[in-house]
Amino acid sequence: MERREFIAAAMGAGAIAASLGTQAQGQMGPQASGASGEAPTPSVGGTGAEDRAYMVDLLRRMAEPVLGPMSKGQLQARFKPELSPTWDGRPPKVAYLECFGRLIAGLAPWLALPDTDDAEGKLRAKLRQQAQAAYAHSVDPKSGDYLFGGLAEQQLVDSAYFTNALIRAPKALWEPLDATTKARIVKEIKGIRSVSPPYTNWLLFAAMNEAFLLSIGEQWDPVRVDLAVRKMLEWYVGDGWYADGPHFHFDYYGSYVIHPMMVEILEVLTSTKAHFNSLKSAELLEQAKKRMQRYGMSLERMVGADGSYPPIGRSLTYRTAVFQPLGLLAWRKWLPEALPAGQARAATVAAQRAIFSNPTNFDAQGYLTIGFCGHQPTLADWYSNAGSMYLASLSLLALGLPADDPYWTAPPLPWTSKRAFAGAHFAKDYYVEY
């Protein structure tokens, strides 16, 4: 570039920057531009009703292509899941148990709500009926959508989400099932005891299945539960974070598995008053709850002002499953005082919108694709397939709260990064010792 062209270009760039700066100051006002006083609280779009409508539509987009066909035993005939480019050779059929088990775990709280006459209520009634039929097909060896058998170790993982949903919504998903289907489910879950879990988060999958059996009055194995709980206590590294095995992994498995399953397993032990060994489940539940609250606060701080969040660690393609703890805290009404409902909701929806604004998150048939923010198959792990992606539904747990709950009626509040990068006041952060 000639010297005079460079100078002209630089002057042009400077003029553009100055123009943008003037426009920004005009939009933000004198306080935001640093003229005087503290910056005003940044605005946040989306009322609770709008946020709920968005999340319900996201749920619908995930659920309909799966539950509709599976309720007729036709999912496996229609859905041919994409496999990771580094697929390890396990039976591709594992994709279907992953797809259904993970999806239904995220939908369960919403399906448990009572029927209503509005559009959301009619959708819920339809999907609930389809989910019940899908459970029947899942354990019927003669169905085209039989999900068990011959799947090696992977079936332990997704059977736990399959049973987690039944724990989350027993009256909507378990109790209406016919006796034959119930007996088949129990048989399949007990049969998975043949899988020996590695000393990782997989211990919780085995424990979740036993917690389900306990919750319905079936024979259960307390040793599997005891081992999982004790190992998680041993692997807690502090400030709301768990290691996944003997070594710490900086990833989101605390969201995908550890915090929610630890809490929900302990809830079953506490509610059933199960006694074995020396575990004090009520005390451990309170501790696990506080640790999940702390972890949830850290998750909220990870949501950037634009709704983005750090793409760190394994299994990034599970997308917004990262925010399962925030949804579970909201559903249980356990959000800490420092994280009010309007703030937690705004942060969660901002992250969902940041991810799902990309149309290539879904394929032409409406099924989720492999990727983080769109179709990005090179991000797949060796165990990833398109069915795995339905873990993203776990960010929808707050939909288990009715539309008139304060979580939905509270005005939206700017989340921490939104405040921080607008120069507004935000709370300091400190480690905890529980």
Side-chain angles (χ1 to χ4, degrees):
M1 181 183 291
E2 294 288 341
R3 181 172 180 271
R4 62 177 176 273
E5 294 174 338
F6 174 82
I7 293 172
M11 290 176 64
I16 293 171
S19 174
L20 289 174
T22 301
Q23 292 175 24
Q25 287 188 21
Q27 292 166 357
M28 292 188 296
Q31 286 189 319
S33 64
S36 63
E38 183 182 310
T41 301
S43 62
V44 182
T47 65
E50 291 168 340
D51 288 345
R52 184 178 181 88
Y54 171 80
M55 288 179 66
V56 168
D57 188 61
L58 185 57
L59 179 151
R60 179 194 62 77
R61 293 183 68 192
M62 292 185 192
E64 285 185 335
V66 176
L67 297 184
M70 192 170 173
S71 67
K72 302 174 184 176
Q74 298 173 357
L75 178 65
Q76 295 183 43
R78 295 190 189 184
F79 179 31
K80 303 301 178 184
E82 178 184 17
L83 303 180
S84 166
T86 56
W87 186 249
D88 66 351
R90 68 185 66 191
K93 189 177 176 180
V94 300
Y96 299 105
L97 179 55
E98 291 183 61
C99 176
F100 176 69
R102 296 175 184 210
L103 173 69
I104 202 66
L107 269 58
W110 180 75
L111 292 175
L113 287 175
D115 288 329
T116 55
D117 291 330
D118 58 4
E120 180 185 327
K122 292 176 182 177
L123 175 67
R124 180 165 50 250
K126 180 188 75 170
L127 293 179
R128 186 193 301 122
Q129 185 177 36
Q130 290 178 345
Q132 293 164 359
Y135 264 110
H137 281 286
S138 74
V139 291
D140 181 356
K142 295 181 180 179
S143 172
D145 279 338
Y146 177 59
L147 298 182
F148 294 87
L151 303 185
E153 290 79 9
Q154 181 63 32
Q155 64 184 341
L156 172 59
V157 175
D158 298 292
S159 65
Y161 291 107
F162 179 99
T163 58
N164 190 191
L166 297 173
I167 289 174
R168 286 174 170 175
K171 293 186 180 301
L173 296 177
W174 172 251
E175 293 179 12
L177 299 178
D178 62 86
T180 298
T181 296
K182 288 181 177 179
R184 286 171 171 170
I185 289 175
V186 170
K187 179 182 178 182
E188 296 290 358
I189 297 307
K190 288 183 177 180
I192 292 172
R193 288 172 175 164
S194 62
V195 177
S196 178
Y199 271 35
T200 64
N201 68 87
W202 279 46
L203 293 173
L204 287 168
F205 301 139
M208 178 59 73
N209 282 342
E210 299 303 325
F212 162 68
L213 294 170
L214 170 62
S215 75
I216 61 171
E218 279 286 334
Q219 180 270 333
W220 64 295
D221 183 353
V223 174
R224 291 172 185 262
V225 177
D226 183 78
L227 176 61
V229 171
R230 290 184 185 280
K231 280 297 177 183
M232 293 305 131
L233 294 174
E234 179 183 322
W235 294 336
Y236 182 69
V237 295
D239 210 20
W241 289 81
Y242 288 91
D244 187 6
H247 304 290
F248 178 73
H249 298 186
F250 189 34
D251 57 31
Y252 293 117
Y253 271 77
S255 294
Y256 303 151
V257 183
I258 300 173
H259 278 288
M261 289 201 176
M262 183 74 164
V263 163
E264 290 178 274
I265 289 165
L266 289 168
E267 283 183 318
V268 173
L269 295 180
T270 302
S271 65
T272 58
K273 297 181 169 57
H275 293 287
F276 63 95
N277 211 327
S278 59
L279 287 183
K280 297 180 179 179
S281 59
E283 293 179 15
L284 290 175
L285 174 58
E286 185 61 25
Q287 181 188 66
K289 167 186 167 182
K290 290 171 66 177
R291 289 176 174 180
M292 187 167 67
Q293 287 173 325
R294 171 57 182 164
Y295 183 76
M297 291 173 66
S298 295
L299 288 177
E300 186 270 347
R301 285 176 177 260
M302 289 185 179
V303 180
D306 59 352
S308 63
Y309 56 94
I312 55 173
R314 301 167 290 163
S315 302
L316 276 176
T317 57
Y318 297 162
R319 295 181 171 95
T320 53
V322 168
F323 301 99
Q324 178 180 201
L326 286 177
L328 184 57
L329 288 168
W331 185 38
R332 289 287 193 271
K333 295 187 176 294
W334 288 349
L335 285 170
E337 185 178 349
L339 193 54
Q343 184 172 328
R345 187 190 76 233
T348 301
V349 175
Q352 290 170 334
R353 289 183 181 277
I355 292 294
F356 288 102
S357 61
N358 189 317
T360 65
N361 284 295
F362 294 89
D363 67 15
Q365 290 183 285
Y367 295 108
L368 282 172
T369 59
I370 296 175
F372 173 69
C373 185
H375 184 216
Q376 299 159 300
T378 58
L379 291 179
D381 298 286
W382 44 268
Y383 46 80
S384 302
N385 63 75
S388 314
M389 306 300 106
Y390 284 85
L391 208 70
S393 71
L394 295 175
S395 69
L396 303 172
L397 296 186
L399 285 174
L401 296 168
D404 60 357
D405 186 88
Y407 181 84
W408 299 108
T409 60
L413 296 173
W415 54 100
T416 302
S417 286
K418 191 86 167 175
R419 291 176 177 271
F421 285 91
H425 171 77
F426 66 99
K428 295 180 182 178
D429 193 36
Y430 294 96
Y431 69 91
V432 300
E433 295 184 345
Y434 43 76

